[in-house]
């Protein structure tokens, strides 16, 4: 199980999280929900500020966000008119048995206590319903992105997702993997702002925060792919791990 201090560290930076974190490509969401006719009832588990919720709403599905952090729920309500997140967690979902057609998880599955979470997700899903965690992972095949990861102690990478989370337990069918490429355009200051929403930076002591920010400034000033650039294209690989409830 992951550190609950880190898992609940994001509320203090909820507005910045919602502003700077990348969105999910439409084709990735459509693949995650393949076979479900709109409007399906979709639970966004660990919904955060509603980035995934808004992407699924745009596909004309009904969305029930569930989020444990009150700061994140408040930001979701502010940024997503007409939608209110339920207070709950992956291990305690405040919904009836068999009430969901799909459970999606954006950028949060790695925080779950997996065995009880799998049991709760299976309980909430109807038979044949879809379970699909989704990650936006920086594409470290670009050299400057790999250096960004090193400086800021960013833990998620393609291997973490595709190798560590390949089995959701006996209640679910074998996992299918989808991968989708996209980019976000940010100024260097916005990249730093995005990194300030990461759990490592949020929970680091002041001296470590200062070191990270100084090294990031040096990266943007000196790296040949970045020096002098007003904006940068930050590449991502979006991974979807899709399974069905047996």
């Amino acid at each position: 199980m992951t550190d609950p201090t880190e898992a609940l560290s994001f509320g203090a930076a909820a507005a910045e999280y919602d502003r700077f974190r990348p969105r999910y490509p439409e084709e990735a969401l459509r693949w995650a929900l393949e076979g479900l006719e709109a409007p399906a009832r979709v639970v966004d588990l660990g919904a955060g500020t509603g980035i995934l919720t808004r992407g699924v709403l745009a596909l004309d599905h009904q969305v029930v966000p569930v989020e444990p952090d009150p700061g994140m729920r408040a930001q979701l309500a502010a940024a997503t008119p007409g939608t209110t997140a339920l207070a709950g967690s992956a291990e305690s979902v405040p919904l009836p048995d068999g009430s969901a057609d799909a459970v999606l998880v954006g950028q949060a599955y790695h925080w779950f206590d997996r065995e009880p979470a799998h049991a709760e997700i299976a309980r909430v899903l109807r038979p044949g319903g879809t379970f699909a965690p989704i990650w936006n992972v920086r594409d470290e095949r670009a050299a400057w992105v790999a250096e960004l990861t090193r400086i800021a102690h960013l833990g998620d990478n393609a291997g973490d997702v595709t190798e560590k989370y390949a089995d959701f337990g006996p209640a679910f069918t074998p996992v299918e993997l989808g991968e989708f490429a996209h980019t976000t355009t940010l100024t260097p200051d916005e990249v730093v702002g995005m990194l300030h929403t990461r759990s490592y930076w949020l929970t680091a002591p002041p001296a470590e925060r200062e070191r990270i920010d100084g090294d990031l400034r040096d990266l943007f000033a000196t790296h040949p792919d970045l020096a002098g650039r007003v904006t940068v294209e930050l590449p991502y690989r979006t991974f979807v791990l899709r399974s069905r409830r047996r």
Side-chain angles (χ1 to χ4, degrees):
M1 187 174 178
T2 53
D3 182 350
T5 302
E6 289 194 2
L8 295 175
S9 65
F10 301 105
E16 292 80 7
Y17 188 107
D18 197 59
R19 176 184 174 191
F20 293 127
R21 287 294 185 103
R23 278 40 186 168
Y24 299 95
E26 179 181 327
E27 61 268 32
L29 300 183
R30 289 191 180 279
W31 189 84
L33 297 170
E34 191 174 60
L36 295 178
E37 293 186 8
R41 193 165 197 242
V42 180
V43 175
D44 180 3
L45 190 54
T49 63
I51 293 171
L52 178 58
T53 288
R54 293 190 292 277
V56 177
L57 286 171
L59 300 180
D60 297 323
H61 293 293
Q62 300 172 358
V63 185
V64 181
V66 177
E67 166 58 40
D69 188 302
M72 301 293 264
R73 292 198 303 272
Q75 179 62 38
L76 185 151
T80 319
T83 302
T84 300
L86 301 179
S89 68
E91 300 79 22
S92 182
V93 182
L95 292 169
D97 295 1
S99 59
D101 297 306
V103 173
L104 300 189
V105 183
Q107 223 72 21
Y109 176 77
H110 50 284
W111 298 116
F112 294 177
D113 189 353
R114 294 174 65 195
E115 189 170 335
H118 291 160
E120 269 293 86
I121 293 163
R123 180 187 66 78
V124 168
L125 278 171
R126 62 167 175 77
T130 298
F131 174 43
I134 305 171
W135 285 267
N136 282 318
V137 177
R138 296 163 314 286
D139 190 344
E140 295 175 0
R141 293 172 294 189
W144 76 268
V145 179
E147 183 65 5
L148 187 78
T149 294
R150 184 194 66 78
I151 291 169
H153 289 267
L154 303 175
D156 53 326
N157 59 49
D160 283 343
V161 170
T162 59
E163 296 167 17
K164 287 171 63 175
Y165 307 127
D167 180 15
F168 300 146
F172 294 94
T173 61
V175 173
E176 301 171 89
L177 174 65
E179 180 180 345
F180 307 85
H182 70 122
T183 61
T184 60
T185 303
L186 299 168
T187 67
D189 285 346
E190 288 172 337
V191 175
V192 174
M194 184 269 290
L195 295 175
H196 286 183
T197 71
R198 303 287 305 204
S199 59
Y200 183 86
W201 194 92
L202 288 167
T203 58
E208 177 66 359
R209 290 182 175 189
E210 290 178 13
R211 181 201 66 77
I212 291 171
D213 288 356
D215 287 352
L216 290 172
R217 286 192 293 270
D218 289 345
L219 174 69
F220 283 108
T222 63
H223 195 283
D225 293 336
L226 302 176
R229 298 282 298 276
V230 176
T231 61
V232 297
E233 298 290 321
L234 180 54
Y236 284 93
R237 303 166 71 186
T238 298
F239 293 101
V240 183
L241 303 183
R242 185 178 68 185
S243 183
R244 313 286 182 187
R245 179 165 172 345
R246 295 186 189 275

